[in-house]
Amino acid sequence: MDLPDGPQFSAQHVGDSVRLSLGGQWTVDASAAIEARADGLLKESAGARRVIFDLGRIVRLDTAGAWLIDRARDTLGASGIEATLESIRPEYEILLREARYRVVAVPASPHGSYIFRLLADIGETVVSAGGDLYKGIGFLGEVVAAIGRSLVNPSHFRGTSLIVQMESIALRGAPIIALINFLAGAIIAQQGIFQLRRFGATIFVVDLIGILVLRELGVLLTAIMISGRSGSAITAELGSMKLQEEIDALTVMGLRPVDILIVPRILALIIGLPLLTFIADMSGIFGGLLVAWVYDGITPARFLTGLQTAIGYHSFFSGLIKAPFMALIIGLIACVEGLAVAGSAESLGRRVTASVVKSIFMVVVADGLFAMFFAGIGY
């Protein structure tokens, strides 16, 4: 039995036509009832050649009701029955148009054995990685060309934007970089002293901290932090501008988005990451120095003397040399992913996640390649 304000309809058969007069409230509050009434519309239309939906007595309609009514109309149309809507209030007409029933394509179910699907997924991943590498190289060419244009015509260079990006990446990122590396240096010192005590060689913790922090840990932790902090921010900024068609507007105005948006961000990363790496190195050594002093009684003077003996210029510069290359990798991935955002906020979130994951992965790969290269040339 229909409630007084619930969804309801009546049918009037005239020849091979049916007039369905809908009334009451077709809203999600009565979701089960409106779905049952929508199914009833189809049953009542069985055998008819023409069906008229009269919406004149509907008191209230929301997207759920509009979608079900349009689904019934679409189902009848797909069966060769002429289905039309009449007596539609203007606001309901807009609602029916926006909530229009659409047939969602169902992805084909996977077929073949699990091994076959696994190999197919691996193949798709390799092809996708190759595509990303190809796009990255092409984008790097655009960035190099833009920097070349700025060198030829310095008045076109966006110096203010570069300063703003450096403040965001380097200046505002320095405290968290220093804190993380200070803690990492302290932890390495504590664990190193704990293990070396068994051999009576705790003084070698100075060599451990100096070489590990300067050659690997400082630059690697800094690059990973910058990937998560600044790389994701760059992708989100560019993606939001892409969604709001601001980048298209720049192109329409005759401006190059690469010159205005990309070059300042990548240059800020290339300049900022070595500076942050130096701060990270000093923070890590300072953390190790404090723990060595408190935990094992190695005085700062003894620690610094041992550090001068343990490390050379090669150890000091090996981490700093890697930093600009890692910054370039982070910047290229962040910008490519940001400019690839399309369609919706879901795409933006997916691209930001991809940017961070790809950047961290490539930074670790680059660090491994540098380690092999330095070992190969004896640096």
Side-chain angles (χ1 to χ4, degrees):
M1 181 178 179
D2 293 328
L3 297 172
D5 293 328
Q8 51 190 288
F9 74 90
S10 61
Q12 182 181 4
H13 294 264
V14 180
D16 57 358
S17 299
V18 179
R19 173 176 285 274
L20 301 171
S21 299
L22 282 63
Q25 299 186 13
W26 289 66
T27 61
V28 75
D29 296 337
S31 56
I34 60 175
E35 189 157 6
R37 299 299 180 276
D39 293 339
L41 295 173
L42 297 177
K43 293 178 182 175
E44 200 64 46
S45 305
R49 300 184 60 185
R50 183 167 184 263
V51 176
I52 301 170
F53 292 87
D54 186 349
L55 310 185
R57 293 193 300 116
I58 290 183
V59 177
R60 193 176 172 202
L61 182 70
D62 65 3
T63 53
W67 186 84
L68 286 168
I69 292 172
D70 196 65
R71 187 186 69 171
R73 184 193 61 77
D74 187 83
T75 303
L76 293 173
S79 302
I81 301 173
E82 180 184 356
T84 56
L85 304 175
E86 289 188 356
S87 304
I88 312 173
R89 288 157 59 176
E91 59 270 29
Y92 292 171
E93 188 174 1
I94 297 173
L95 201 56
L96 285 162
R97 185 171 62 249
E98 295 298 327
R100 182 169 58 88
Y101 172 73
R102 301 170 183 84
V103 178
V104 179
V106 179
S109 58
H111 55 83
S113 65
Y114 173 77
I115 298 297
F116 177 80
R117 294 200 302 273
L118 178 62
L119 293 175
D121 289 342
I122 293 174
E124 290 178 2
T125 304
V126 171
V127 171
S128 175
D132 289 344
L133 180 63
Y134 178 78
K135 285 192 293 186
I137 293 174
F139 192 73
L140 174 61
E142 291 186 41
V143 172
V144 171
I147 294 174
R149 286 194 296 271
S150 299
L151 292 175
V152 173
N153 195 347
S155 62
H156 290 180
F157 182 67
R158 306 282 170 171
T160 305
S161 180
L162 174 63
I163 298 300
V164 170
Q165 294 299 325
M166 284 197 63
E167 179 192 358
S168 173
I169 294 170
L171 185 61
R172 296 184 184 277
I176 186 65
I177 297 291
L179 178 61
I180 291 291
N181 283 275
F182 173 83
L183 295 175
I187 293 169
I188 292 170
Q190 190 274 333
Q191 284 296 309
I193 292 170
F194 183 76
Q195 298 296 331
L196 290 171
R197 268 181 183 166
R198 293 186 293 174
F199 309 101
T202 55
I203 190 61
F204 285 106
V205 74
V206 179
D207 300 55
L208 175 67
I209 294 171
I211 295 173
L212 185 59
V213 170
L214 293 178
R215 292 190 73 94
E216 300 294 337
L217 201 62
V219 65
L220 195 57
L221 276 180
T222 304
I224 290 173
M225 289 292 296
I226 290 297
S227 298
R229 182 181 178 276
S230 302
S232 61
I234 291 173
T235 304
E237 288 171 2
L238 295 177
S240 298
M241 296 177 73
K242 188 81 184 298
L243 288 177
Q244 296 172 6
E245 300 180 351
E246 295 177 21
I247 295 178
D248 294 336
L250 289 174
T251 305
V252 169
M253 288 189 291
L255 302 173
R256 294 188 181 92
V258 174
D259 294 355
I260 297 173
L261 302 175
I262 307 302
V263 170
R265 285 170 169 78
I266 290 183
L267 287 181
L269 281 169
I270 292 175
I271 298 171
L273 193 54
L275 298 176
L276 290 173
T277 299
F278 178 77
I279 294 173
D281 290 345
M282 297 302 105
S283 301
I285 291 174
F286 183 60
L289 182 149
L290 285 183
V291 170
W293 187 15
V294 173
Y295 193 59
D296 196 57
I298 301 175
T299 62
R302 190 180 175 199
F303 186 97
L304 293 176
T305 302
L307 190 64
Q308 291 176 9
T309 306
I311 64 171
Y313 289 108
H314 291 175
S315 298
F316 180 75
F317 285 110
S318 61
L320 296 176
I321 291 172
K322 301 174 191 175
F325 295 94
M326 292 183 176
L328 181 62
I329 291 171
I330 296 169
L332 289 176
I333 292 175
C335 293
V336 168
E337 293 294 333
L339 294 176
V341 171
S344 63
E346 181 188 1
S347 171
L348 176 61
R350 193 168 58 248
R351 291 292 179 180
V352 170
T353 303
S355 169
V356 174
V357 173
K358 290 179 181 178
S359 296
I360 293 176
F361 175 75
M362 290 306 301
V363 160
V364 174
V365 170
D367 188 66
L369 294 176
F370 268 110
M372 290 189 291
F373 175 70
F374 287 153
I377 64 174
Y379 187 77

